[in-house]
Amino acid sequence: MRAAAPPFARGQRRWPHPATREWLGERLTALLLLPLTVWLALNLAALPACDAATLGIWMTRPMHYGPLLAFLALTLLHAHLGLRCILDDYVHGPLVKRLGLGAIRLLLLAVLLVSAAALYVRAGTG
């Protein structure tokens, strides 16, 4: 009798369990957010004032624009993965689950688009 091959043996490209990808995604986004959060906190702490004008000037610098967008996108992706996990665990009706997931996706996409557009407009006028 042959022993069962490991899940990635024989050319299989499936995850061993469907939740593994979500678990890894949550951990990876959290790991990527750690240095960006430290970077953001240190930069904001170094500002002379935390008023809108100072923040606007700080955001328009090219060295800050990219990391801010990365921070925003990763934060929203991490939120999406976490909220999806909550829906999977605690909402039992398939229709309510699908509607909730759709609402979460639309809301987070809207936040991402509006925030990115605001940063882009601010960078163009700053």
Side-chain angles (χ1 to χ4, degrees):
M1 179 181 257
R2 284 178 62 186
F8 292 109
R10 294 178 289 155
Q12 294 179 359
R13 296 194 179 265
R14 297 182 321 170
W15 293 93
H17 192 274
T20 304
R21 186 181 330 169
E22 294 173 6
W23 185 87
L24 285 173
E26 290 172 2
R27 289 346 177 243
L28 181 63
T29 55
L31 187 65
L32 291 172
L33 277 169
L34 282 174
L36 286 172
T37 304
V38 171
W39 169 83
L40 183 62
L42 290 175
N43 273 283
L44 291 178
L47 289 177
C50 265
D51 57 353
T54 306
L55 285 174
I57 293 169
W58 178 81
M59 284 189 299
T60 59
R61 294 185 182 151
M63 63 176 19
H64 297 150
Y65 187 73
L68 271 176
L69 283 178
F71 179 80
L72 176 67
L74 284 170
T75 300
L76 294 175
L77 177 60
H78 189 75
H80 176 265
L81 293 171
L83 291 170
R84 181 178 179 176
C85 185
I86 290 171
L87 277 177
D88 287 340
D89 290 345
Y90 296 108
V91 177
H92 301 293
L95 179 62
V96 176
K97 190 181 291 190
R98 288 174 80 191
L99 289 174
L101 187 57
I104 288 169
R105 285 180 178 164
L106 284 175
L107 177 66
L108 293 177
L109 182 63
V111 169
L112 177 65
L113 292 175
V114 168
S115 300
L119 279 174
Y120 180 74
V121 167
R122 181 65 187 168
T125 60

